[in-house]
Amino acid sequence: MTTTIEVRAPSEQSEGTRSQVQRWLKNIGDTVVENEPLIEVETDKVTIEIPAPAGGVLREILKNEQEEIEPGELLGRIQSGA
């Protein structure tokens, strides 16, 4: 049984802070391990890594590099299970 897991931007962002995807550390079709760094997001103040919420295969990227993102926004999807 396969499950689709959503990859979302952190929602605990400071008011008025702009964020954008700096780069994806994996490509569509790549295997990811839970908690492995998956995306680098840049804010006005820092660059943070968003870890994979689950293991599986990166199936979809919804926000590309240099695109601005909102707190909690859907960035991509991982398919887990076999």
Side-chain angles (χ1 to χ4, degrees):
M1 182 173 131
T2 61
T3 305
T4 301
I5 290 99
E6 295 180 338
V7 180
R8 293 191 171 271
S11 56
E12 65 277 350
Q13 185 174 315
S14 302
E15 193 70 27
T17 303
R18 296 165 54 103
S19 297
Q20 69 179 24
V21 174
Q22 187 173 19
R23 70 183 177 122
W24 282 83
L25 303 173
K26 295 284 187 175
N27 296 307
I28 291 176
D30 287 353
T31 299
V32 298
V33 177
E34 186 173 2
N35 294 321
E36 167 182 31
L38 184 61
I39 311 165
E40 287 182 351
V41 172
E42 186 176 55
T43 69
D44 292 339
K45 299 172 184 164
V46 296
T47 298
I48 58 170
E49 288 181 343
I50 298 175
V57 176
L58 183 61
R59 288 290 177 216
E60 193 173 11
I61 291 176
L62 299 170
K63 286 291 184 174
N64 295 306
E65 296 177 2
Q66 309 309 312
E67 282 192 79
E68 284 200 18
I69 56 174
E70 298 293 324
E73 187 168 2
L74 183 60
L75 305 178
R77 291 190 176 92
I78 294 171
Q79 183 177 0
S80 72

